[in-house]
Amino acid sequence: MNIPKSSFPRIIIIGGGFAGIALAKKLSKQEVQVVLLDKHNYHTFQPLLYQVSTGGLEPDSIAYPIRKVLGDFPNFFFRLADVSEINTEKNKVISNIGELKYDYLVVASGSKTNYFGNTSIEANSMEMKTVPQSLNLRSLILENFEEALLTSDLNERIALMNFVIVGAGPTGVELAGALAEIKKGILPKDYPDLDTRLAQINLIQSGDKILKEMSPQASQKAEDFLEKLGVHVWKNVRVTGYDGKTVTTNSELTFDAATVVWAAGVKGAAIKGLDSDQFVSRGNRIMVNEFNQVKGLNNVFAVGDVAQMETESTPHGHPMMAQPAIQQGRLLGDNLLRMLENKPMKPFVYNDKGSMATVGRNKAVVDLPNFKFQGVFAWFVWMFVHLFFLIGFRNRMVVFINWVYNYIRFDREARLIIRPYKKNIKP
Amino acid sequence: MNIPKSSFPRIIIIGGGFAGIALAKKLSKQEVQVVLLDKHNYHTFQPLLYQVSTGGLEPDSIAYPIRKVLGDFPNFFFRLADVSEINTEKNKVISNIGELKYDYLVVASGSKTNYFGNTSIEANSMEMKTVPQSLNLRSLILENFEEALLTSDLNERIALMNFVIVGAGPTGVELAGALAEIKKGILPKDYPDLDTRLAQINLIQSGDKILKEMSPQASQKAEDFLEKLGVHVWKNVRVTGYDGKTVTTNSELTFDAATVVWAAGVKGAAIKGLDSDQFVSRGNRIMVNEFNQVKGLNNVFAVGDVAQMETESTPHGHPMMAQPAIQQGRLLGDNLLRMLENKPMKPFVYNDKGSMATVGRNKAVVDLPNFKFQGVFAWFVWMFVHLFFLIGFRNRMVVFINWVYNYIRFDREARLIIRPYKKNIKP
């Protein structure tokens, strides 16, 4: 990898997600050389991917070119690279575009879908962690409606219009709500010759509570909202398999469905060389101390979803969400500069600003540390916060216009099958 | 294809382009059953595809769901179908989703790229007729910049930054201008470690005039604009081949380039059953009379790019552009209704409203029937007209916001490699 030599120490950041970008911004205009590596040339605003999948937003408005974030700083380098291995003895990373030595390394590789070893689900269900995956899901949903029109077999039509979402965290809840709104607002207009009643949205949760990280009020209210929208919420049901036709569970319950979205688990995207038991905890997250420093390595750090910082208040690490990632990225930026000046680093303290989820139009739940509320106002807060954290003025404008339009017109216009998707392309 | 039987006559329209949509709209609320078939579930606003390729616009804002255009009318049916054959004796169309009988058939299948039998160019160059093709070109342009950073071979780097556009019609001119603006505005910021001077944009025209359908003033001024932007315009040069590395021409001139866009020819997309010499002219367009009726067939029509209506003033048919397509689609709608009422049909008369092309920021050329002008005002007219013809209020808003943003910031933010593209995937 031909990065020019520099008299400044070289910091390699793997991953341009929330943590990586926050860190990179902190290191701008400093006496360090920063090399950011990512598989994509854009930062993805993952909390809104479900709106891409359901035709409410275009992918370009929730993604942002990484080069543009970093472009103006002469000591910044971006490379489109897939890192396959880290050699901590020789201080180098190995990628599909070659090797590169580092003085300091920050792993910010995020998380990936966790199928808990269930190969039938992995092979046949959809996930929604990246822009291409979300576009595939959009294509599949629309293709299934088109196919439902063609079949004369009623059972097949029912399966084509049956959506099973496994996992009732924010992603599952938000996707289920959006699909319910499509059933109500779009299906009758777009497919007048389909019996809309056949469309079913099933949301399955293994525990006895949806949005389990949130307050009991938020959880209960979200469930009420979902039921009002016609979503079937199944609690205490664990999905055990999906062969592409039938979802099986730990009870007698089964679902014949052509679309199954797996939102029931994530794991850290630890990279070879740092993925042995020595380094990772349960959940494949890299164990770090309170400075996000990897156990036993002075010059290697991990931040965001991939980092597991176990403290008294967070025995399993921080939640795998945007806020801890951004805060860790920012603090590590300061700490690296302190380290270079031989000053002591500051320990990370998570400032929990609360959490929120939206179920649909005028329906959201918000837990702030001292104030919990649900409904219309929560929904506006949800939108405002998401617009605020979106990177780029243009993105904010375009998302805002789309939301206003969708709100006024009960519509989602980006329902385009840009690339047909066939599940069986997966191995 | 299970379309319900109706007491109304069934009109099948093949293609949801400008002509097909204009026709379908005219037939709404009338006593006919309309079945529209298209390979995509969206209408594509082709004149702005080059802005998708160059990161100025997102694909979703220049495409529009066909079901939404037709949704409200009970006698309208859309099917996502690829028509492979027309049987005019049995009055049926044959597609990948089955057969369907028609009372009246309208072929509005548009045009496709014409390589004039040159297989090396077809295998290795890019085209820009559909949204996926435009996204592939966007990915390739950006991937080539990323690759240019990695190579230590200067010749390879030069080839990776060399863009050859064959054909200086509106598409070629607009794409060349947009690439020149990327070279000037984006490259130095996004790729500070690339020598921007190496980026070359070559526009090749076989004749002695660019924008040959336009006035001499427009042609000359567009050429001046391109030269001001640093585009190399090669006239009287015919490209003879491209093996993926080197473009050869009918002279000694060759170009080593990793990106070659073929915009030098289109041909009608005539469909099997209507593609024999009996029906098509040179250019694979279906011969029609002044009512857009296919020669020798009373109940089969062709409109838009795929139709060749030879009149005294148009010995080779009308130009393959949006305006004739829209006008023919509208008139045919009226004529079909007249025919059903046993009234005489009205012959088509093309109302040439003029033509225009944009080269870049503040640089466009407009030919109106009685007034020709170039420059800033022409550029605003070009934008206004394109916004006006774009389908959908949301699309207009989003495109407008993007243009204002791009204008103020000298930027194009949609420079995302959503799906990597490798040319060699092509057969």
Side-chain angles (χ1 to χ4, degrees):
Chain A
M1 227 183 289
N2 53 349
I3 305 286
K5 287 225 159 60
S6 159
S7 54
F8 298 142
R10 177 183 291 162
I11 302 173
I12 298 184
I13 304 170
I14 304 175
F18 287 113
I21 294 288
L23 168 61
K25 281 185 174 171
K26 272 281 173 184
L27 296 176
S28 64
K29 297 178 200 157
Q30 303 295 335
E31 298 196 325
V32 288
Q33 185 190 60
V34 177
V35 180
L36 178 59
L37 308 175
D38 198 291
K39 274 179 274 198
H40 296 121
N41 76 336
Y42 51 87
H43 165 80
T44 305
F45 191 74
Q46 290 184 333
L48 291 177
L49 282 174
Y50 81 97
Q51 296 212 2
V52 172
S53 294
T54 51
L57 291 175
E58 41 272 88
D60 307 60
S61 61
I62 65 155
Y64 195 82
I66 293 175
R67 289 194 173 279
K68 195 172 150 73
V69 185
L70 313 177
D72 285 358
F73 311 116
N75 297 323
F76 265 67
F77 296 88
F78 172 75
R79 289 294 181 271
L80 191 66
D82 194 353
V83 175
S84 53
E85 194 178 342
I86 294 161
N87 187 328
T88 53
E89 277 180 22
K90 295 186 176 161
N91 288 338
K92 67 179 182 182
V93 299
I94 298 150
S95 81
N96 64 328
I97 61 164
E99 305 183 354
L100 190 65
K101 287 209 140 210
Y102 58 81
D103 296 304
Y104 299 91
L105 174 68
V106 182
V107 182
S109 48
S111 58
K112 51 188 179 182
T113 304
N114 193 351
Y115 294 97
F116 303 101
N118 194 316
T119 49
S120 77
I121 296 173
E122 182 168 0
N124 298 302
S125 74
M126 307 293 291
E127 53 183 322
M128 213 172 59
K129 294 282 290 175
T130 67
V131 168
Q133 286 169 357
S134 303
L135 287 173
N136 283 347
L137 179 56
R138 184 204 279 183
S139 290
L140 184 67
I141 292 168
L142 295 165
E143 281 165 12
N144 284 343
F145 286 139
E146 297 293 337
E147 225 178 302
L149 279 171
L150 302 179
T151 179
S152 49
D153 178 336
L154 182 62
N155 287 328
E156 199 187 327
R157 188 177 308 136
I158 288 172
L160 285 163
M161 296 173 74
N162 193 6
F163 298 91
V164 174
I165 300 155
V166 190
T171 302
V173 166
E174 290 173 347
L175 181 62
L179 285 171
E181 292 193 334
I182 286 179
K183 173 183 173 174
K184 201 176 146 194
I186 309 286
L187 261 189
K189 281 191 218 153
D190 266 19
Y191 298 86
D193 40 342
L194 266 186
D195 184 344
T196 306
R197 291 168 303 178
L198 299 184
Q200 300 297 329
I201 298 117
N202 294 288
L203 179 63
I204 303 179
Q205 170 70 353
S206 60
D208 60 357
K209 183 170 178 280
I210 70 166
L211 297 175
K212 66 173 184 224
E213 310 290 349
M214 294 189 72
S215 66
Q217 299 100 292
S219 169
Q220 186 53 52
K221 195 72 187 176
E223 204 176 322
D224 295 347
F225 284 150
L226 285 168
E227 269 167 22
K228 203 174 271 178
L229 283 169
V231 173
H232 309 297
V233 180
W234 304 89
K235 292 185 291 190
N236 296 308
V237 171
R238 201 165 43 244
V239 169
T240 53
Y242 176 52
D243 61 3
K245 292 203 151 182
T246 305
V247 177
T248 53
T249 69
N250 61 342
S251 72
E252 283 166 8
L253 197 67
T254 61
F255 301 87
D256 288 343
T259 317
V260 175
V261 181
W262 183 258
V266 288
K267 59 182 175 185
I271 296 165
K272 192 179 163 187
L274 282 179
D275 64 346
S276 63
D277 286 347
Q278 183 193 344
F279 293 111
V280 299
S281 70
R282 210 173 58 97
N284 209 36
R285 296 170 82 184
I286 300 169
M287 306 278 280
V288 296
N289 65 16
E290 68 270 39
F291 310 111
N292 283 96
Q293 208 163 19
V294 176
K295 236 173 37 175
L297 298 168
N298 271 323
N299 62 341
V300 181
F301 300 80
V303 280
D305 282 4
V306 78
Q308 174 131 333
M309 186 190 294
E310 296 180 359
T311 66
E312 240 169 74
S313 59
T314 61
H316 305 295
H318 294 93
M320 293 163 85
M321 291 180 351
Q323 271 305 319
I326 293 169
Q327 293 176 25
Q328 287 180 4
R330 282 186 190 148
L331 180 70
L332 181 58
D334 290 337
N335 274 338
L336 283 170
L337 298 173
R338 275 197 196 91
M339 195 179 194
L340 291 169
E341 291 167 0
N342 288 316
K343 290 183 191 162
M345 296 195 285
K346 288 188 183 168
F348 178 71
V349 180
Y350 176 41
N351 174 10
D352 185 355
K353 295 183 177 169
S355 56
M356 49 181 73
T358 186
V359 182
R361 199 184 167 74
N362 297 334
K363 295 180 186 68
V365 294
V366 174
D367 284 356
L368 299 185
N370 299 311
F371 184 35
K372 302 184 195 333
F373 51 105
Q374 301 90 31
V376 180
F377 180 62
W379 189 68
F380 278 99
V381 169
W382 180 92
M383 286 200 296
F384 175 78
V385 167
H386 281 74
L387 280 178
F388 181 80
F389 279 101
L390 206 54
I391 297 180
F393 177 74
R394 189 201 68 106
N395 283 356
R396 285 180 195 148
M397 281 297 291
V398 170
V399 168
F400 179 71
I401 294 282
N402 274 299
W403 283 352
V404 170
Y405 178 87
N406 295 349
Y407 187 76
I408 295 171
R409 302 289 298 266
F410 289 80
D411 204 352
R412 354 186 124 232
E413 273 194 2
R415 44 186 192 274
L416 317 170
I417 306 173
I418 288 178
R419 267 170 231 259
Y421 180 72
K422 287 274 162 272
K423 263 187 294 190
N424 302 342
I425 290 172
K426 270 191 179 181
Chain B
M1 226 184 288
N2 53 350
I3 304 288
K5 287 225 157 61
S6 159
S7 54
F8 298 143
R10 176 183 290 160
I11 302 173
I12 298 184
I13 304 170
I14 303 175
F18 287 113
I21 294 288
L23 169 61
K25 281 184 172 172
K26 274 280 175 184
L27 296 176
S28 64
K29 298 179 200 160
Q30 303 295 334
E31 299 196 323
V32 288
Q33 185 191 59
V34 177
V35 180
L36 178 59
L37 308 175
D38 198 293
K39 274 178 275 197
H40 296 122
N41 75 336
Y42 52 87
H43 164 80
T44 305
F45 192 74
Q46 290 184 332
L48 291 177
L49 282 174
Y50 81 98
Q51 296 211 2
V52 172
S53 295
T54 51
L57 290 174
E58 43 271 87
D60 307 59
S61 62
I62 64 154
Y64 195 82
I66 293 175
R67 288 194 173 279
K68 195 171 149 73
V69 185
L70 313 178
D72 285 359
F73 311 116
N75 297 322
F76 265 67
F77 297 87
F78 171 75
R79 288 293 180 273
L80 191 66
D82 195 354
V83 175
S84 53
E85 193 177 342
I86 293 161
N87 186 327
T88 53
E89 276 179 23
K90 295 186 176 163
N91 288 336
K92 67 179 181 183
V93 300
I94 299 151
S95 80
N96 64 329
I97 60 163
E99 304 183 353
L100 190 65
K101 288 210 138 206
Y102 58 80
D103 296 304
Y104 300 90
L105 174 69
V106 182
V107 183
S109 48
S111 58
K112 50 188 179 182
T113 304
N114 194 350
Y115 294 97
F116 303 101
N118 194 316
T119 50
S120 76
I121 296 174
E122 184 168 358
N124 298 302
S125 74
M126 307 294 290
E127 52 182 324
M128 212 173 58
K129 294 282 290 176
T130 68
V131 168
Q133 286 168 356
S134 304
L135 286 173
N136 284 346
L137 179 56
R138 185 205 279 184
S139 291
L140 184 68
I141 292 168
L142 294 165
E143 282 164 13
N144 283 343
F145 285 139
E146 296 294 337
E147 224 178 301
L149 279 171
L150 303 179
T151 181
S152 48
D153 177 337
L154 182 62
N155 286 329
E156 201 187 326
R157 188 177 306 137
I158 290 172
L160 285 163
M161 297 173 72
N162 192 5
F163 298 91
V164 174
I165 299 156
V166 190
T171 301
V173 167
E174 291 173 347
L175 181 62
L179 285 171
E181 292 193 334
I182 286 178
K183 172 181 173 173
K184 201 175 146 194
I186 308 286
L187 262 190
K189 280 190 218 155
D190 266 18
Y191 298 86
D193 39 343
L194 267 185
D195 185 344
T196 306
R197 291 169 302 180
L198 299 184
Q200 299 296 330
I201 298 119
N202 294 288
L203 178 63
I204 304 179
Q205 170 69 353
S206 59
D208 59 358
K209 182 169 178 281
I210 71 166
L211 296 174
K212 68 173 182 223
E213 310 289 347
M214 294 189 72
S215 66
Q217 300 100 291
S219 169
Q220 186 54 52
K221 195 73 188 179
E223 202 176 325
D224 295 348
F225 285 149
L226 285 168
E227 268 165 24
K228 202 173 274 177
L229 283 170
V231 173
H232 308 296
V233 180
W234 304 88
K235 292 185 290 189
N236 296 309
V237 171
R238 200 163 44 243
V239 169
T240 53
Y242 176 53
D243 61 3
K245 292 202 152 184
T246 305
V247 177
T248 52
T249 69
N250 62 342
S251 72
E252 283 167 8
L253 198 67
T254 60
F255 301 88
D256 288 342
T259 316
V260 175
V261 182
W262 183 257
V266 287
K267 60 183 175 185
I271 296 165
K272 191 178 163 189
L274 282 179
D275 64 346
S276 62
D277 285 347
Q278 183 193 344
F279 294 110
V280 299
S281 68
R282 210 172 58 96
N284 208 37
R285 297 170 83 184
I286 300 170
M287 306 277 279
V288 296
N289 66 17
E290 68 270 37
F291 310 112
N292 282 97
Q293 207 163 21
V294 176
K295 236 175 34 178
L297 298 168
N298 271 322
N299 63 341
V300 181
F301 301 80
V303 281
D305 282 4
V306 77
Q308 173 130 334
M309 187 190 292
E310 296 179 358
T311 66
E312 240 168 71
S313 59
T314 60
H316 304 296
H318 295 93
M320 293 163 87
M321 293 182 345
Q323 270 306 318
I326 293 169
Q327 294 176 24
Q328 287 180 4
R330 282 186 190 151
L331 181 71
L332 181 58
D334 290 337
N335 274 338
L336 284 170
L337 298 173
R338 275 197 197 91
M339 195 181 195
L340 291 169
E341 292 168 0
N342 289 315
K343 289 182 190 163
M345 296 194 286
K346 287 187 183 170
F348 178 72
V349 181
Y350 177 42
N351 174 10
D352 186 354
K353 294 181 177 171
S355 56
M356 49 181 73
T358 186
V359 182
R361 199 184 168 74
N362 297 334
K363 295 180 186 70
V365 294
V366 174
D367 284 356
L368 298 185
N370 300 311
F371 185 36
K372 301 184 195 334
F373 52 105
Q374 300 90 30
V376 180
F377 180 62
W379 190 67
F380 279 99
V381 169
W382 180 92
M383 286 201 295
F384 175 78
V385 167
H386 281 74
L387 280 178
F388 181 80
F389 279 101
L390 205 56
I391 296 181
F393 177 75
R394 189 201 67 104
N395 283 356
R396 284 181 196 149
M397 281 299 291
V398 171
V399 169
F400 180 71
I401 294 282
N402 274 298
W403 283 351
V404 169
Y405 178 88
N406 295 348
Y407 187 75
I408 296 170
R409 302 289 298 266
F410 288 81
D411 204 352
R412 347 184 133 236
E413 272 196 2
R415 43 186 192 274
L416 317 170
I417 306 173
I418 289 179
R419 268 169 229 260
Y421 181 72
K422 288 273 161 274
K423 262 186 294 191
N424 301 343
I425 290 172
K426 268 191 179 182

